Amino acid sequence: MAKVPITVAYGDGIGPEIMDATLRIITEAGAELEIETIEIGEKVYLRGNTAGIEPQSWESLTRTKVFLKAPITTPQGGGFKSLNVTTRKVLGLYANVRPCVAYDPYVRTKHPGMDVVIVRENEEDLYAGIEHRQTADVYQCLKLITRPGTEKIVRYAFEYARAHGRKKVTCFAKDNIMKMTDGIFHSIFDSIGAEYPDIEKEMWIVDIGAAKLADTPQVFDVVVMPNLYGDILSDVAAQIAGSVGLAGSCNIGDHCAMFEAIHGSAPRRAGQNLANPSGLLLGAVLMLNHIGQGDVAARVHNAWLYTLEQGIHTYDIYQDGISKQKVGTKEFADAVIRHLGKVPNELKAVDYSKSKPMQPIRPSSPPKPTKQLVGVDIFLDWSAGKPNDLGTLLTPITAGNLKLNVISNRGVKVFPGGLTETFCVDHWRCRFMADGNSVQPTHIVELMQKLISQGFDVIKTENLYTFNGENGFSAVQGH
Ligand code: NAD
């Protein structure tokens, strides 16, 4: 078998110890790898590089396209950028996949039988990092959900389920509130799901879905969700399965992929031969599958399961009465190596020979919808009176066919006919519509000029469009 080039980073804290253990095990198991090492993390940050990675390291990553990464320490204090977020964005790693499995009765868990894979969208949502302070009172963060981004992650979840013999894909979203952003995520889940009749589909509103996941994770199989919910719930799922020290994850893109443990660099445990290498080892198992060495992946995974069954445990999962031998990182790796070729007796043995390689996922290219400008939301920083005062001032201001339709504060209608009880801040969304008549962009400019000339502080505008006749904007609450 030809050797596959991969890029390896040993990271910080317990990183070098668990990476040594992992590489030793997978090499002994027969992995055919050509390893290139790069330096990332604390030392690079402290040399004044705020990204935590040297520019030349990208050359290795974009050439090998496979990154096995140990955890790093992000120094305290401002200015340091998250290397994980940077790597995901630069390499376009849109899917974060985290299998969360319980290993009862060998590792204590509240949820025997749990075996859930969280598929988290990795690039969009509130993580675009587009935030603004708009007034003395108001800060905003843009939540961006795109059609192609959602198509890719949802299709990835279904393809993953098929490739791994999984039976059900569940979608978590909050489209009862965010009807457009989470709404498109849900509707794409429904339409792509229809292409997979062999797989059961279900949808949960994220809040009650999260409660169900924490209470009865056994009812879930593959769960796909937007970035923020996935960030939070993938940690919850890993923790309730047994231990964050046991979970690996991968970040998959069209061109590159990154594999890691989900835990951090645990600096207090570093250099003492204490750390559990299992999370990174399971990350490496995902990597071996990804590069087409599924037989080696299964050999490693089964030997690792067998080692857990033998009660050979690192301190973090050691338990009197269940564990037989407390070992350090090196001795744990030695035990897994000794057990290569064994399969577990009670824990479910893995077989990756039937896993099909994942094909690159391409979003669809539907015809562009007909887009029509029908109005504008103009946001004002204003604190000179009550909502009715603002409504009275704005009503006479028109441009082309645009005239005031409604004013809201924090999304709730306050004019015309608002309630005096509604709490207001200094941030007013003033919606101007054309009652079905045409709107020219120049009318919006004219409207803004009139507002500014009358002393209003215009802080932002959002054009209101219809797409194939359907509103591309949410209604005002209470309007
Ligand atoms: P952590 O996951 O490093 O450690 C939390 C605790 O979990 C540790 O004190 C230790 O008791 C235990 N633990 C974690 N991994 C273990 C293992 N393999 N074996 C045994 N015990 C283990 O989280 P933290 O203390 O919040 O963060 C430490 C550093 O790691 C921070 O600088 C943080 O920014 C960084 N971090 C990096 C990554 C990453 O590189 N992917 C992820 C999370 C945190």
Side-chain angles (χ1 to χ4, degrees):
M1 201 196 292
K3 283 189 186 274
V4 177
I6 66 166
T7 304
V8 164
Y10 280 76
D12 302 313
I14 59 171
E17 294 162 79
I18 60 173
M19 182 58 84
D20 264 338
T22 297
L23 292 179
R24 212 150 57 78
I25 295 167
I26 63 175
T27 308
E28 288 287 338
E32 293 290 345
L33 303 171
E34 204 173 287
I35 292 170
E36 290 182 20
T37 306
I38 60 168
E39 192 181 41
I40 57 167
E42 200 173 21
K43 286 199 208 83
V44 183
Y45 282 120
L46 296 179
R47 283 206 291 269
N49 179 326
T50 54
I53 179 167
E54 298 292 3
Q56 61 270 25
S57 297
W58 294 113
E59 190 279 321
S60 171
L61 288 170
T62 50
R63 184 162 34 75
T64 68
K65 305 189 189 320
V66 180
F67 187 17
L68 181 62
K69 172 182 162 292
I72 59 158
T73 303
T74 311
Q76 296 290 311
F80 301 111
K81 297 197 192 81
S82 158
L83 181 62
N84 264 1
V85 174
T86 307
T87 312
R88 284 174 193 159
K89 290 204 168 163
V90 170
L91 300 181
L93 309 179
Y94 67 87
N96 181 278
V97 182
R98 184 177 290 187
C100 301
V101 182
Y103 302 101
D104 56 288
Y106 304 99
V107 178
R108 194 210 306 260
T109 173
K110 292 191 187 105
H111 302 288
M114 176 177 177
D115 183 2
V116 179
V117 180
I118 307 288
V119 177
R120 161 191 171 194
E121 198 290 319
N122 227 2
E123 294 182 293
E124 306 194 338
D125 196 357
L126 289 153
Y127 289 57
I130 307 175
E131 293 191 287
H132 300 95
R133 180 174 184 178
Q134 297 183 316
T135 67
D137 289 342
V138 175
Y139 301 74
Q140 80 164 17
C141 174
L142 274 190
K143 170 165 167 136
L144 295 176
I145 301 278
T146 73
R147 184 192 52 74
T150 305
E151 281 188 13
K152 278 168 70 174
I153 194 68
V154 168
R155 192 171 289 287
Y156 183 91
F158 280 102
E159 287 293 321
Y160 179 95
R162 241 186 209 166
H164 293 83
R166 300 236 165 208
K167 302 280 178 285
K168 180 164 81 172
V169 179
T170 305
C171 172
F172 279 7
K174 186 82 186 166
D175 57 321
N176 55 333
I177 301 295
M178 284 159 281
K179 295 186 167 63
M180 302 204 64
T181 48
D182 283 28
I184 189 69
F185 198 91
H186 182 176
S187 84
I188 287 175
F189 176 80
D190 286 345
S191 57
I192 288 184
E195 297 174 35
Y196 296 82
D198 49 321
I199 293 172
E200 193 188 331
K201 277 112 3 208
E202 64 176 14
M203 161 71 197
W204 287 79
I205 297 295
V206 61
D207 40 11
I208 188 65
K212 184 78 180 164
L213 179 70
D215 182 61
T216 328
Q218 298 88 338
V219 303
F220 295 104
D221 193 349
V222 174
V223 190
V224 62
M225 51 192 123
N227 205 342
L228 177 65
Y229 313 142
D231 190 1
I232 297 165
L233 292 179
S234 56
D235 268 16
V236 171
Q239 180 68 41
I240 65 172
S243 163
V244 281
L246 293 179
S249 84
C250 59
N251 294 271
I252 304 285
D254 291 331
H255 310 289
C256 302
M258 174 168 83
F259 303 85
E260 59 185 344
I262 68 159
H263 58 75
S265 58
R268 282 189 304 124
R269 311 287 177 193
Q272 299 159 63
N273 190 35
L274 276 176
N276 187 346
S278 300
L280 188 59
L281 185 67
L282 293 185
V285 164
L286 295 169
M287 176 190 77
L288 291 167
N289 267 313
H290 177 81
I291 60 174
Q293 299 186 17
D295 50 342
V296 186
R299 228 166 110 72
V300 170
H301 203 158
N302 283 328
W304 176 78
L305 289 167
Y306 184 86
T307 306
L308 284 192
E309 273 188 357
Q310 296 303 302
I312 303 173
H313 294 167
T314 43
Y315 84 93
D316 55 315
I317 56 169
Y318 185 90
Q319 238 190 300
D320 285 331
I322 293 180
S323 309
K324 303 232 167 59
Q325 200 187 339
K326 193 187 276 183
V327 291
T329 316
K330 284 198 188 85
E331 296 71 29
F332 184 80
D334 292 340
V336 178
I337 290 167
R338 266 199 319 280
H339 297 147
L340 286 169
K342 301 242 191 254
V343 290
N345 297 311
E346 282 191 39
L347 292 172
K348 203 165 118 214
V350 298
D351 174 7
Y352 296 127
S353 63
K354 292 194 194 75
S355 311
K356 300 174 197 89
M358 300 273 292
Q359 298 304 314
I361 308 261
R362 299 271 165 265
S364 66
S365 31
K368 285 256 178 236
T370 306
K371 179 172 137 183
Q372 200 190 343
L373 186 61
V374 296
V376 64
D377 279 347
I378 296 188
F379 291 77
L380 300 178
D381 181 347
W382 187 80
S383 37
K386 299 264 181 255
N388 275 341
D389 302 333
L390 182 60
T392 307
L393 288 169
L394 294 183
T395 300
I397 303 177
T398 61
N401 294 312
L402 287 172
K403 54 180 196 280
L404 185 67
N405 175 268
V406 62
I407 301 173
S408 70
N409 196 291
R410 295 190 304 164
V412 180
K413 183 182 84 163
V414 291
F415 180 88
L419 297 180
T420 48
E421 286 80 4
T422 305
F423 177 70
C424 292
V425 294
D426 55 5
H427 182 267
W428 306 82
R429 190 254 307 259
C430 309
R431 176 162 288 182
F432 292 80
M433 303 285 289
D435 286 338
N437 297 307
S438 71
V439 177
Q440 301 304 318
T442 47
H443 296 150
I444 294 175
V445 177
E446 188 187 327
L447 193 59
M448 286 169 63
Q449 278 169 340
K450 286 184 178 171
L451 288 164
I452 291 164
S453 69
Q454 295 200 22
F456 285 103
D457 183 1
V458 175
I459 52 176
K460 136 181 168 131
T461 64
E462 288 284 354
N463 288 357
L464 306 177
Y465 296 104
T466 57
F467 293 84
N468 292 341
E470 252 181 56
N471 283 352
F473 48 92
S474 54
V476 174
Q477 283 165 15
H479 190 44

